[in-house]
Amino acid sequence: MLELNDVHCVIGKHAVISGVSLQIGEGELVCLLGANGAGKSSLFKTISGLITPTQGTIEFEGRPIHKKNPEKIVKLGVSLCPEGRKLFPRLSIRKNLMMGAYTRYREKSQTAKTLREIYELFPILEERADQEAGTLSGGEQQMLAIGRSLMCKPRLLLLDEPSLGLAPLIVKKIMETIEGINRGGVTVLLSEQNASMALSISSRGYVLENGHIVLEGTARELAGNEEVKKAYIGA
Amino acid sequence: MSFFLNQMVIGIQLGSQYVLVALGLTLIFGILDISHFAHGHMYMIGAYLLYIVMVLGGVNYWLALVICMAALSIAGVVVERAVYRPLRGQPHINSFIAAIGLILVLETLVRGIQPDALRVPKPIDKNFSFLGINMEVQRLIVIVGAIVFIILLQVFIKRTRLGTAIEAMSQDREGAALVGINVNRMSALTFAIATALAAVAAVFMAPLAFVSPEMGSVLVLKAFVIVVIGGLGSMKGAILGGYLLGILEALAIAYISSAYKDVFAFGVLIIILAIWPTGIFGGRD
Ligand SMILES: Nc1ncnc2c1ncn2[C@@H]1O[C@H](COP(=O)(O)OP(=O)(O)OP(=O)(O)O)[C@@H](O)[C@H]1O
Ligand SMILES: [Mg+2]
């Protein structure tokens, strides 16, 4: 479904992604592990078109997307729930969600249906529908960010550290939600520093270090790997 | 009492033009983070275009309003495309210098073609009296017309998909790109709307003043002060600030002296800024 081939990115003068290749099959839930500054967010921004790679190719469902603008990539069915959430803080929760469906303006009734699904997934968003997004708590904002990125009905969802800064209980709920979204048929690529949590819900994973993929394998293999344990699980 | 009321109405009329120009500036600032200092000169171009269409072309005033709005919105798109877009992502000083360049080009060009100030006739050259207020019909056109366009803009921004997209983009540009909003198209649209509003102000005001190449210079400075006072990027702030400056000026003319109106009005604004350093509506809305 998604295939990266020898992707390189340079920001300023720094090579932040150096030759990343990876594949994700339809329906998979794959995690991307890596420490601070490993390049996870940069890789996600590259896939969704915010950064243009200097070399290499990215294909989504067989189509090259590495030269496309973010709005084209969203239309094709790839949605990023970004680090820092990037919500519209002074728009209401409802308007934030409706903006998530910006590309689907021709399908009014379908969009309304998706909105109901999001409200079922996160009832708090419906209760606070008219409240400004900036007034939500961190966990609620993360739910809104995930909700917004689902409003475009993506086939591939990229989640950049959805657990960052959240209490363990909320992290658990978010992880369960992500599993549910994946079971509902959405392919998911999830980046995390919280490796044990991420590996517990994914089937496969990649480890990113300094812009390189240094390790890949099934979730079980990675969870059992001594280096992963030392670096990311703290065992 | 009726003298005071008269001055208030004149203040609101002065404020109307400030609001229309300041709204455009604050929209552009919110979306593109640039200080479009040439906005006043786009206003000036609007007034000259009115002269060409109405006086030379013999077109009806209201049709001329529509023509000027359409032409200036296209001019706004061209300015965004040709002057500001190539500089996106570069230091602010670059777009500032580009704006100064545009000001010089427009002013020199107009002065070269027509060095003398021009006059545009009033569409309805009458006075009217109401509650002891006596004034020209044109002033009423400015006041009511501005309110109509302010409401139209609010409805567009708050109630339509494209308007909300403009608001969303001003709050988080990257977030906007990620939901599929075409940020280039929105920038062009914002410039089109802002410059059309400047055309509205010019068409309303031209019959009350001289049309001259430097007519936009002081206006844009005032509009900038209003935008800062109101809170950068805030529409509410631009509306409130614009009317406030107009009323302060009118009161200064009446009770102090018309020579010192700017000193008084700006003095009050500086005090407001000292109390609220980020403007009355500090955050954008
Ligand atoms: N705009 C930028 N300018 C300069 N350097 C950047 C920029 N964005 C990212 N980098 C650098 O690229 C590298 C990778 O950053 P990135 O944000 O992708 O890491 P990450 O894996 O997401 O880290 P974290 O877990 O802290 O979010 C870092 O060394 C960072 O300093
Ligand atoms: Mg990151």
Side-chain angles (χ1 to χ4, degrees):
Chain A
M1 176 172 235
L2 181 75
E3 189 166 339
L4 274 68
N5 213 324
D6 192 30
V7 171
H8 292 253
C9 288
V10 179
I11 299 181
K13 283 179 184 149
H14 299 273
V16 293
I17 302 292
S18 320
V20 166
S21 299
L22 56 82
Q23 296 88 34
I24 297 168
E26 180 141 20
E28 277 195 298
L29 198 171
V30 177
C31 68
L32 181 68
L33 306 177
N36 291 119
K40 304 180 296 294
S41 300
S42 305
L43 191 60
F44 278 7
K45 284 186 183 176
T46 310
I47 298 172
S48 42
L50 292 171
I51 303 177
T52 311
T54 47
Q55 193 187 317
T57 59
I58 305 176
E59 285 186 6
F60 176 67
E61 295 180 331
R63 279 190 219 174
I65 58 168
H66 50 275
K67 286 186 186 138
K68 291 197 191 302
N69 297 329
E71 66 268 13
K72 293 264 165 56
I73 295 174
V74 178
K75 272 187 200 145
L76 287 174
V78 181
S79 184
L80 169 62
C81 179
E83 180 175 42
R85 299 168 194 137
K86 305 281 171 191
L87 296 170
F88 310 122
R90 282 173 303 282
L91 292 188
S92 70
I93 289 163
R94 190 198 320 275
K95 278 191 172 178
N96 266 274
L97 289 171
M98 289 317 290
M99 278 292 110
Y102 184 79
T103 53
R104 299 174 67 205
Y105 62 98
R106 285 202 191 82
E107 327 162 10
K108 276 231 162 62
S109 62
Q110 299 284 20
T111 313
K113 190 166 157 255
T114 314
L115 185 64
R116 276 198 299 280
E117 287 167 13
I118 305 289
Y119 282 156
E120 266 164 43
L121 199 59
F122 303 114
I124 187 86
L125 297 182
E126 185 166 20
E127 280 167 39
R128 308 274 178 91
D130 294 313
Q131 194 175 318
E132 284 186 4
T135 62
L136 292 175
S137 78
E140 290 160 355
Q141 289 192 18
Q142 191 60 55
M143 293 176 204
L144 177 56
I146 295 175
R148 188 184 67 180
S149 58
L150 286 171
M151 282 298 291
C152 66
K153 276 270 165 200
R155 289 192 296 285
L156 173 64
L157 179 63
L158 309 170
L159 291 160
D160 195 358
E161 295 202 52
S163 73
L164 197 69
L166 302 183
L169 217 63
I170 299 176
V171 173
K172 195 156 171 285
K173 182 176 183 264
I174 297 235
M175 290 298 155
E176 283 166 12
T177 310
I178 295 170
E179 252 188 314
I181 292 168
N182 178 244
R183 267 198 307 273
V186 181
T187 310
V188 176
L189 178 59
L190 165 71
S191 97
E192 270 299 328
Q193 290 186 54
N194 188 337
S196 54
M197 193 62 99
L199 287 170
S200 71
I201 63 167
S202 30
S203 55
R204 285 195 307 124
Y206 292 89
V207 178
L208 195 64
E209 255 174 40
N210 286 322
H212 299 273
I213 301 271
V214 292
L215 210 58
E216 62 174 286
T218 63
R220 187 176 304 222
E221 281 165 5
L222 290 179
N225 184 293
E226 286 306 317
E227 282 167 49
V228 174
K229 275 191 194 166
K230 245 192 254 151
Y232 303 108
I233 301 182
Chain B
M1 188 61 201
S2 79
F3 176 70
F4 175 77
L5 273 184
N6 251 312
Q7 287 312 118
M8 285 301 280
V9 172
I10 288 177
I12 292 171
Q13 176 250 311
L14 283 174
S16 301
Q17 56 165 335
Y18 298 154
V19 173
L20 289 173
V21 174
L23 273 174
L25 280 181
T26 213
L27 274 177
I28 290 174
F29 185 88
I31 286 276
L32 296 144
D33 252 328
I34 53 171
S35 302
H36 177 35
F37 276 103
H39 196 52
H41 279 66
M42 302 305 283
Y43 164 91
M44 178 267 288
I45 298 290
Y48 274 94
L49 192 61
L50 175 70
Y51 182 85
I52 293 171
V53 173
M54 188 177 155
V55 178
L56 303 183
V59 172
N60 165 288
Y61 181 74
W62 301 103
L63 185 59
L65 170 66
V66 176
I67 293 173
C68 289
M69 284 179 72
L72 269 268
S73 63
I74 293 169
V77 172
V78 171
V79 166
E80 192 270 331
R81 215 35 225 260
V83 180
Y84 293 116
R85 196 179 298 177
L87 301 175
R88 193 179 296 162
Q90 291 182 29
H92 275 106
I93 186 78
N94 294 18
S95 61
F96 177 72
I97 291 168
I100 304 291
L102 185 58
I103 285 176
L104 292 176
V105 168
L106 292 176
E107 198 168 320
T108 317
L109 206 70
V110 172
R111 201 185 298 282
I113 298 169
Q114 175 54 270
D116 305 322
L118 301 171
R119 271 208 160 276
V120 175
K122 298 185 179 78
I124 305 171
D125 198 0
K126 283 192 189 126
N127 277 36
F128 77 101
S129 296
F130 179 71
L131 289 179
I133 299 167
N134 187 316
M135 66 174 186
E136 294 140 287
V137 172
Q138 186 63 26
R139 294 189 190 271
L140 189 70
I141 292 178
V142 176
I143 293 173
V144 176
I147 291 173
V148 168
F149 280 99
I150 292 167
I151 291 173
L152 283 178
L153 180 70
Q154 292 302 308
V155 170
F156 172 73
I157 297 282
K158 300 290 175 191
R159 296 264 178 268
T160 69
R161 169 176 167 270
L162 281 179
T164 310
I166 287 182
E167 227 187 351
M169 189 174 144
S170 77
Q171 294 180 16
D172 199 307
R173 196 187 178 86
E174 209 167 280
L178 287 174
V179 298
I181 295 171
N182 183 327
V183 293
N184 282 335
R185 208 173 291 163
M186 285 305 137
S187 307
L189 179 64
T190 304
F191 257 85
I193 293 170
T195 317
L197 286 174
V200 170
V203 170
F204 285 166
M205 285 304 293
L208 290 170
F210 284 105
V211 175
S212 70
E214 61 282 339
M215 67 190 288
S217 313
V218 179
L219 180 62
V220 81
L221 283 183
K222 289 183 178 172
F224 253 104
V225 173
I226 291 163
V227 167
V228 173
I229 297 285
L232 289 168
S234 162
M235 285 193 294
K236 246 186 294 178
I239 296 169
L240 212 79
Y243 283 123
L244 183 69
L245 181 63
I247 291 170
L248 285 174
E249 275 184 17
L251 294 181
I253 292 171
Y255 297 105
I256 302 173
S257 110
S258 91
Y260 286 106
K261 71 175 179 12
D262 288 345
V263 176
F264 173 74
F266 281 99
V268 172
L269 295 181
I270 288 169
I271 293 170
I272 293 178
L273 211 53
I275 301 171
W276 291 292
T278 56
I280 302 172
F281 297 100
R284 294 173 194 172
D285 58 12

